[in-house]
Structure formats: C-alpha cells, structure tokens
Amino acid sequence: MQVSHTAAAVSASFDGSNLVSSAGLVPAMKLAEKAGLLSLADRWLSVATDKGANAGLKVVSLVAGMLAGADAIDDMTVLRHGGMRKLFAQLYAPSTLGSFLRAFTFGHVRQLDAIASRFLISLAALSPLISPEPDGDYVFLDVDDTIIEVHGHQKQGASFGYSGVRGLNAILATVKTATGTPIILAQRLRRGAASSPHGATRLIRDALATLSRLPGIGTARVLFRADSAFYTFVAIHAAMAGGADVSVTARLDSAVRKRIAAIPATGWTPIKYTHAIFDEDTRTWISDAEVAEIPYTAFTSRKKADHILGRLVVRRIPELNKQKLAGQTTLFDLHRFHAFFTTSTLDTVTADKTHRAHAAIDLVNSDLKNSALAHLPSGVFAANAAWLALAVIAFNLTRAAAVTAGTGLARATTATIRRKLINIPARTASSARRITLHLPENWPWETGWAHLFDHAFAPPSPTPT
C-alpha cells in the first residue's frame, strides 16, 4: 500500500464535530443498559459526598472507556471527542472519574463486586455467553492469581510477591465449557505479597453462587480446577460444599510420593502429548508421557471428619539425561511426576487432559493485562480494586458483544474484538430527530456489527405470563 498523494497535496485538520472513533460503543453500551448496569450501580453503590453523585453514570463511563481501550484514568478523555456528545449523555472528565474512584472504600468495592455479579447474570440472559454442553459435560470453574506490575512506591499495597516483581496481586475465578470461552465470575485485588490462596475460599463461594444463577447453568455439573497453590482443605472444601467436583494439582509431599510409588508398572497408559504418534493398528498413542491413577485420601493430617476421598491422577514424563550424549547412560529410567487430586467421574486419560486445560485462565490474565489492567491507575488501593472490578465488567461485556455479533469472534481476544467491533470510525447525521451513523463502506466485519446493533436496539422480549 502506498500513499496516493504527495506531501504538498495532503493536509490534516482536527475539526470533525460529527465524527466518532468508536461507533461500536453505541450497541455495546446499549447492551449494557439493557442488562441493567446503570440501574444496578445507582441502586447498590453508596459512595458518599459529591464524588459519589450519579454513581451509575460514572460506572458506565468508566466501563465504556475500557471498552474503547482506556487503561488509565487520563485515557477516559477518549469519550469526549467529535460527535460523542450527540450519542451519549454525561461524558465526565477524567479528573471527575478519578475523584470518584479515589472515594471508594473496601465496602464500596464489595458493592461493585455485587454489581458485577448481578450484571453478568443479566447479561447472560441477553446473550449466549455460556451454556452447558449438550452431552452433560462439566462446566469448569478455574481459579488463579496473577501479579500486576507497578512502578514506584506510591501504590498502596504494592510489594514484591512470589514472582519477584513489585506489584499487586489479583485473583480471578472464571467459568467455561469444553468448547466455550471463559468469562469472569469473581475477582479480588490483594496486596502484592499475598499468598495465592489468601481469600480464595470466599472467592470460590461467591463464584459458585453466581454460577448457580446463570441462565441454563444452575443444574450443570461443575468441576473446580486449580494449581497446587490452592491445594488446601479450606479451598477444596469450599468448592465441594458448593456442589462442585475438584481437580487440583497436588504437592509432591511424602504422602503423595508414597502413593505414586504404589502404582503398578502395568497401570500406566500412554497419552497424547508433545511428539506423540498415533498407531492406527493398535489404536493407541505411542508417547513418552503416561498417566495412571490410584485411590487417595487427602488431608489425613486433619481430624477424620475433614478427610476427603478421591483419587490421585499422575502423569509421568521421562527425565532427560543430560550426560547421555557423552555415553553416561542411566541404570534405570527416571521420570518427572505431575499429580493432581480429583473427585470427578472422568476416566484417567480424560481427567488428565481436562486438568491441563486449566491453563486457559492464563489467557484471561494475559488478555486483561493487554487491556484495562495494563496499569493500575491510582495510588489508592481501594481505587485500584474498583478498577479491577470495572475491568472485569468490561471484559464480560466485550465477550457478550462478540458472542452476539455471531461472526466467529466469541473466542477472540479483547484487542481483536475491540478492533473489529468497537473502534470503528463513523460520522453522525441528524434528520427528523433521528441520528444515523455512517460507517466505512466495505467494513470487513459489517455483518457482525449489524447483528450486534440490531440485537442491542431490539425491543425487549415480552415477559411470559
């Protein structure tokens, strides 16, 4: 592609009062309105003083800015350009929104958490965000934490955590089906030095409560998946008390190693793994990786009533001999073991494959850090905790917009959805008290955007009698 004019024949002027850069905000925020985001915030948020006035409008403004790509308070000025005032009311200045966030306390953050949960439930009723698999497969509840890096000493709660990076610790609970894409059920912001399972028990309970209220999910089987940081009695008990089966990586302590040693040599099954080859004759995988299982009782160091019966699924991989090229072979094979404790009804191979899919939550963490969580914008901890909750609302709203568009964007990243559905330039035109958006001709994702627009502005479905 080459510029079609010389420098002398091209000029630029920022004077388009009828132009907007993010026309996709119109159907997306209409969808948020139909799901009740504004009314929920007005009802449940009780931020005091003048900073908390019109809380619903300020929450909606912050979410809209995040949808358009804002990852800092100053970026909220992206909402105040061109013809945006013709499309939206109450476009707040970034300083006003920053003051609003800094007025939050821990109690207000919990109110915002409740808003995020209720909004997700309403959103799932409007868009097919998640639905159980037709054959009754598990719905997966994944929990993990991540460090959001910060710089300087002004951030409250920032410190060096397990990763060796100065930051704040965010823990998320996501839900997905075998073929679907994750959405976020619950979130918490903790100090940077917080241990991974700190506060996880309450997060798991909140996530399961929200999950049970999602349309069409209430009776589905749930499998709680997590890494070894969450291999604690309180976390696993909270999941099982909420009706979920568990699949949690076990620490290789002496009890686990003893049970692994008890697995017979004939109990190992080759699995599809890196460099595996499928043998058509025997219909089996030829692979260096193998799995086996053995019954196991977890937390036997606690009182008998706290013992949890299940099984230990173990994957073993040959330990590479670094001296083999020099002729220093070993007398017997060595293996690395990865074990997880599960109460699921899945067979051994399927259980191992399903547990490894827990890594999908890492993609959610990465997605958030490439979007609204690229920065934590305030020095006040509660303001950053509120920012995290708003980022989760924006994430789920973006997912709903992509699913509604119905053009293969359901599994796309937030950045891709934003590029194709949200950040579309348009010119506004008014006639007979009606606003028309003129979008680019031959926009590649026109069909999906039109589906989203029609769905967002469709009249509400009649309430069944």
Side-chain angles (χ1 to χ4, degrees), residues 120 124 129-130 140 142 173-176 181-186 211 214 364 392 395-396 399-400 403:
L120 175 59
L129 266 177
I130 187 168
F140 305 112
D142 296 329
T174 67
V175 60
K176 73 180 294 294
T181 187
I183 57 174
I184 303 175
L185 292 174
L211 180 59
L214 288 178
V364 176
V392 167
F395 177 90
N396 289 335
R399 293 287 127 201
V403 170

Side-chain angles (χ1 to χ4, degrees), residues 78-237:
V78 72
L79 301 177
R80 295 159 59 89
H81 70 271
M84 292 293 283
R85 291 191 182 278
K86 298 180 181 180
L87 300 175
F88 300 98
Q90 296 292 340
L91 300 178
Y92 290 99
S95 58
T96 302
L97 298 176
S99 298
F100 171 65
L101 288 176
R102 288 189 293 273
F104 272 63
T105 64
F106 174 76
H108 299 132
V109 174
R110 292 297 290 145
Q111 290 174 353
L112 194 56
D113 290 342
I115 291 167
S117 174
R118 289 173 170 85
F119 174 69
L120 175 59
I121 294 167
S122 297
L123 198 60
L126 295 174
S127 301
L129 266 177
I130 187 168
S131 58
E133 297 297 309
D135 56 358
D137 283 348
Y138 277 109
V139 171
F140 305 112
L141 173 66
D142 296 329
V143 174
D144 199 6
D145 66 327
T146 186
I147 299 295
I148 305 171
E149 185 175 7
V150 301
H151 303 279
H153 303 274
Q154 294 78 22
K155 304 280 187 183
Q156 291 180 352
S159 55
F160 292 97
Y162 58 82
S163 66
V165 174
R166 178 190 294 277
L168 293 171
N169 185 301
I171 182 172
L172 302 176
T174 67
V175 60
K176 73 180 294 294
T177 60
T179 58
T181 187
I183 57 174
I184 303 175
L185 292 174
Q187 67 288 319
R188 296 285 187 280
L189 188 68
R190 294 97 57 89
R191 60 189 180 90
S195 61
S196 293
H198 177 74
T201 303
R202 186 169 184 176
L203 181 89
I204 293 169
R205 290 173 183 160
D206 289 351
L208 285 170
T210 301
L211 180 59
S212 67
R213 297 170 60 194
L214 288 178
I217 300 294
T219 59
R221 295 191 303 164
V222 180
L223 182 65
F224 165 66
R225 302 185 297 191
D227 60 29
S228 61
F230 301 92
Y231 185 70
T232 63
F233 171 78
V234 290
I236 292 178
H237 180 265

Side-chain angles (χ1 to χ4, degrees), residues 137-363:
D137 283 348
Y138 277 109
V139 171
F140 305 112
L141 173 66
D142 296 329
V143 174
D144 199 6
D145 66 327
T146 186
I147 299 295
I148 305 171
E149 185 175 7
V150 301
H151 303 279
H153 303 274
Q154 294 78 22
K155 304 280 187 183
Q156 291 180 352
S159 55
F160 292 97
Y162 58 82
S163 66
V165 174
R166 178 190 294 277
L168 293 171
N169 185 301
I171 182 172
L172 302 176
T174 67
V175 60
K176 73 180 294 294
T177 60
T179 58
T181 187
I183 57 174
I184 303 175
L185 292 174
Q187 67 288 319
R188 296 285 187 280
L189 188 68
R190 294 97 57 89
R191 60 189 180 90
S195 61
S196 293
H198 177 74
T201 303
R202 186 169 184 176
L203 181 89
I204 293 169
R205 290 173 183 160
D206 289 351
L208 285 170
T210 301
L211 180 59
S212 67
R213 297 170 60 194
L214 288 178
I217 300 294
T219 59
R221 295 191 303 164
V222 180
L223 182 65
F224 165 66
R225 302 185 297 191
D227 60 29
S228 61
F230 301 92
Y231 185 70
T232 63
F233 171 78
V234 290
I236 292 178
H237 180 265
M240 296 184 68
D245 289 329
V246 301
S247 179
V248 182
T249 302
R251 301 184 187 92
L252 293 179
D253 55 23
S254 57
V256 170
R257 291 184 181 277
K258 184 177 180 179
R259 293 303 290 157
I260 293 175
I263 298 175
T266 57
W268 297 96
T269 302
I271 60 171
K272 182 180 179 181
Y273 205 65
T274 306
H275 306 309
I277 300 174
F278 188 72
D279 189 335
E280 294 288 351
D281 295 331
T282 62
R283 306 297 297 175
T284 58
W285 288 98
I286 300 175
S287 172
D288 290 338
E290 300 171 304
V291 293
E293 70 170 66
I294 194 167
Y296 186 73
T297 302
F299 311 114
T300 53
S301 61
R302 300 177 64 93
K303 61 182 180 180
K304 190 171 183 179
D306 291 343
H307 295 182
I308 300 178
L309 300 178
R311 56 197 172 117
L312 206 62
V313 177
V314 186
R315 182 173 71 253
R316 72 177 186 180
I317 305 170
E319 185 71 74
L320 297 178
N321 179 11
K322 298 179 181 179
Q323 304 298 325
K324 188 173 183 179
L325 294 178
Q328 302 293 325
T329 59
T330 56
L331 296 176
F332 50 87
D333 292 335
L334 300 175
H335 293 89
R336 288 182 288 118
F337 296 96
H338 177 92
F340 62 92
F341 175 76
T342 184
T343 61
S344 74
T345 58
L346 301 173
D347 65 79
T348 309
V349 175
T350 304
D352 175 72
K353 182 179 179 180
T354 300
H355 182 77
R356 278 186 279 147
H358 162 68
I361 195 173
D362 293 332
L363 300 178

